Amino acid sequence: MRKICVITGSRAEYGLMYWLLKEIENDPELTLQLVATGMHLSPEFGLTYRQMEEDGFVIHAKVEMLLSSDTPVGISKSMGLGLIGFADVFALLKPDLILVLGDRYEIMVAVQAAMIANIPVCHLHGGESTEGLIDEAIRHSITKMSHLHFTATEKYRERVIRLGEQPDRVFNVGAVGLDNIKKLQLLDRESFEKSIDFRLGPLNFLVTYHPLTLAQRDSSDLVADLLHALDQFPKAHIIFTKPNSDMDGRIIGEMIDQYAARHKDRCVSFVSMGQLRYLSAIQHVDAVIGNSSSGVIEVPMFKKPTVDIGDRQKGRMKSRSVLECGDSADEISCAIRKALSPSFQEGLQDMTSLYGNGDTAPRIKEIVKSYPLDRILMKRFYEG
């Protein structure tokens, strides 16, 4: 039986891969090895490994690596701890393939350890571009250390090939997170309100704002502009989801909590909502605001507007439901008003997704199950 080791370091990443994990787990010819690391093991970020266990998954190993610091020094030290931890885990589990998603630093060190251990790597969501983040460099570095590639669009597939990867190892399968939208039974408005202990209003926003690791302005200034823009909509009920463990993530989280406390009659904040509640929130709000990739990839499936702030998602393919704006308060509030306009919202009803239709997990599973491994570690640069 082929052993597939899936590594996850964040609540969002696990949620995106949920149905892929199920596909691997339920296949009698495959063995799932699940490794939790990063924010999953941190009380500050909700100890979200427990959600995996509640979902019925066995966690085969935990790699403790996250220091209580979001400075560059703290994150670099966390990466060092992670590299040591993954080396031990791979020696113990001896997987046939490593499967990872995205562009986070904890995933990069897992892939580095796999490379040294001669374990082939399957990478999801390569070829994408996020110009405002160090994630851009991390993602492409992971691509060069990986052996099978599962991209979300044909454009991204072509970009991975231009990085020198052999075309027969690069598969355009769509975005794996869309499987959740197709398969989950989302909560109706009353059930959703009960699940988050918060009443929605006549106007509702879902706001997720992450640090820009290459930003020219301080994170506190950027968030202050976002919150000032939200002040222009005093009747809006706002659901905040707080940022990941990136540099300055704690500053942003504290400012969000303080804002929610000042407006507790119409605001609430969460460290982690989980996929069911998060996707249900999208279904019930009038607009999604911030700089999360979900606003670009998942939200268009709901035919809802996204106000995409700043450069964090610059470079990604975007549907017409995504309104790009600058990071000043005036630019953000102007984009929100446009997103709420009846003419803009009516224009979204015939829109289709750029990232597939929600059948990605079984396609990936079949490829990792059947792809020959005898010479997979031998990579030749593709010249085109």
Side-chain angles (χ1 to χ4, degrees), residues 17 163 209:
M17 292 195 292
L163 286 169
Y209 192 84

Side-chain angles (χ1 to χ4, degrees), residues 49-304:
Y49 77 88
R50 294 173 176 170
Q51 182 62 56
M52 292 189 273
E53 294 176 334
E54 290 173 10
D55 289 340
F57 291 112
V58 174
I59 299 175
H60 295 78
K62 298 174 183 175
V63 177
E64 293 276 7
M65 60 176 287
L66 192 61
L67 298 180
S68 184
S69 170
D70 60 3
T71 66
V73 172
I75 289 173
S76 294
K77 289 181 177 179
S78 292
M79 292 173 70
L81 291 173
L83 187 60
I84 294 169
F86 281 113
D88 289 335
V89 164
F90 295 154
L92 176 66
L93 296 181
K94 295 181 171 55
D96 296 301
L97 287 169
I98 302 295
L99 192 149
V100 298
L101 182 149
D103 49 25
R104 291 192 55 78
Y105 59 83
E106 59 264 36
I107 298 304
M108 183 168 75
V109 296
V111 172
Q112 288 175 322
M115 176 182 66
I116 299 301
N118 285 333
I119 303 169
V121 175
C122 309
H123 183 212
L124 281 62
H125 279 271
E128 300 178 19
S129 182
T130 46
E131 298 176 12
L133 304 170
I134 61 171
D135 302 27
E136 171 90 354
I138 292 174
R139 183 187 303 107
H140 299 327
S141 298
I142 293 173
T143 289
K144 295 311 300 177
M145 292 185 283
S146 298
H147 306 83
L148 292 177
H149 309 272
F150 300 101
T151 68
T153 72
E154 185 60 28
K155 178 180 179 179
Y156 298 154
R157 177 179 181 269
E158 293 169 359
R159 189 176 286 160
V160 169
I161 293 169
R162 290 202 302 273
L163 286 169
E165 300 302 295
Q166 293 293 324
D168 63 353
R169 294 188 180 200
V170 190
F171 304 90
N172 171 22
V173 294
V176 69
L178 299 190
D179 290 37
N180 281 308
I181 300 171
K182 189 172 182 178
K183 295 181 179 181
L184 283 176
Q185 182 66 46
L186 300 183
L187 301 172
D188 61 35
R189 184 178 176 116
E190 183 179 353
S191 299
F192 173 66
E193 289 176 329
K194 185 175 180 181
S195 75
I196 64 171
D197 192 25
F198 180 72
R199 293 296 298 273
L200 298 174
L203 175 64
N204 301 284
F205 298 152
L206 175 62
V207 179
T208 303
Y209 192 84
H210 295 290
L212 273 76
T213 47
L214 298 179
Q216 301 300 309
R217 296 174 60 197
D218 290 341
S219 293
S220 57
D221 291 340
L222 292 167
V223 178
D225 267 324
L226 167 60
L227 298 177
H228 182 60
L230 295 175
D231 283 338
Q232 308 309 305
F233 303 87
K235 295 182 180 179
H237 287 217
I238 305 172
I239 302 169
F240 290 96
T241 61
K242 294 199 287 188
N244 293 327
S245 60
D246 297 310
M247 286 179 282
D248 286 348
R250 286 176 176 84
I251 294 171
I252 295 174
E254 289 170 3
M255 293 180 70
I256 287 171
D257 283 340
Q258 291 166 6
Y259 186 87
R262 291 197 304 271
H263 304 281
K264 58 184 177 181
D265 58 322
R266 62 182 188 90
C267 295
V268 65
S269 66
F270 292 92
V271 171
S272 175
M273 293 186 75
Q275 282 293 297
L276 177 60
R277 294 193 301 174
Y278 182 78
L279 294 175
S280 298
I282 296 172
Q283 181 175 248
H284 297 300
V285 300
D286 298 282
V288 174
I289 301 166
N291 60 8
S292 170
S293 62
S294 65
V296 175
I297 298 174
E298 283 89 37
V299 174
M301 285 280 283
F302 292 86
K303 305 184 189 303
K304 293 289 182 79

